């Protein structure tokens, strides 16, 4: 049960960072790369890559 909760948490955090990435891409184009580490990290954790 604990692993399932963590995966849901990681997916939620991935989508949060993804929204931040998209907003930064349109509003502050020069700063969108600041959201890349969070987006990629939580995507990898949600997919159980590490």
């Amino acid at each position: 049960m604990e692993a399932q909760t963590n995966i849901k948490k990681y997916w939620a955090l991935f989508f949060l960072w993804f929204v931040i990435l998209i907003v930064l891409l349109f509003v502050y184009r020069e700063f969108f790369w600041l959201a890349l580490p969070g987006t990629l990290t939580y995507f990898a954790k949600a997919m159980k890559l590490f």
Side-chain angles (χ1 to χ4, degrees):
M1 189 68 167
E2 182 67 29
Q4 186 69 18
T5 305
N6 283 339
I7 292 173
K8 288 180 182 179
K9 179 179 75 169
Y10 292 146
W11 277 115
L13 287 169
F14 163 71
F15 284 117
L16 174 69
W17 276 105
F18 188 70
V19 168
I20 292 170
L21 180 82
I22 297 301
V23 168
L24 285 175
L25 185 61
F26 286 109
V27 178
Y28 297 110
R29 182 161 274 190
E30 63 273 9
F31 294 118
F32 92 98
W33 60 271
L34 292 173
L36 283 175
T39 304
L40 295 176
T41 298
Y42 288 113
F43 179 72
K45 285 187 176 231
M47 294 293 290
K48 297 182 185 178
L49 296 176
F50 68 93

